Amino acid sequence: MANATIGHITCPFTGEQAEVRRDKKRKLYYYGAAGMVKPNLPAGQAYMEKHTEFIGDNGEPLKPVNSVNENNPQDNSVNEIEQPEDDSIKSWFGW
């Protein structure tokens, strides 16, 4: 099971918004099209702290809210991450 998303950061490799999470040792890492990027030294953690747009207070995840879209009750896309439209990133990484 994936750790909870606590914020977003712009990936310096792909330019996309990636999900920021904390591991069991409370270290920040992000997950996006480039894969998991997990800086484990103090300078990398400081970069993550500085550039992450945290969700909620104290960098902790917000509790899920059950909301229904009035126009389409089956639409649960509010938590989905937008994927790049072109495959140039995939070809760059050799996918």
Side-chain angles (χ1 to χ4, degrees):
M1 186 169 135
N3 293 320
T5 299
I6 61 169
H8 295 90
I9 192 168
T10 302
C11 176
F13 302 112
T14 65
E16 75 162 347
Q17 287 291 100
E19 294 183 8
V20 176
R21 302 171 180 166
R22 284 195 192 271
D23 67 11
K24 63 184 176 184
K25 293 183 179 181
R26 310 272 305 146
K27 298 266 186 180
L28 292 169
Y29 69 96
Y30 68 88
Y31 188 81
M36 182 172 65
V37 178
K38 189 173 185 179
N40 60 350
L41 296 177
Q45 288 295 300
Y47 178 90
M48 293 288 297
E49 288 280 346
K50 180 178 179 182
H51 292 92
T52 297
E53 295 176 32
F54 287 101
I55 299 170
D57 297 330
N58 301 323
E60 295 302 323
L62 294 175
K63 294 181 180 177
V65 176
N66 294 332
S67 63
V68 176
N69 184 338
E70 292 178 10
N71 298 329
N72 184 0
Q74 299 300 318
D75 183 14
N76 294 325
S77 63
V78 293
N79 292 327
E80 293 178 9
I81 296 174
E82 282 188 38
Q83 297 297 321
E85 291 183 16
D86 63 310
D87 289 335
S88 62
I89 293 172
K90 291 180 180 178
S91 63
W92 189 74
F93 285 104
W95 297 331

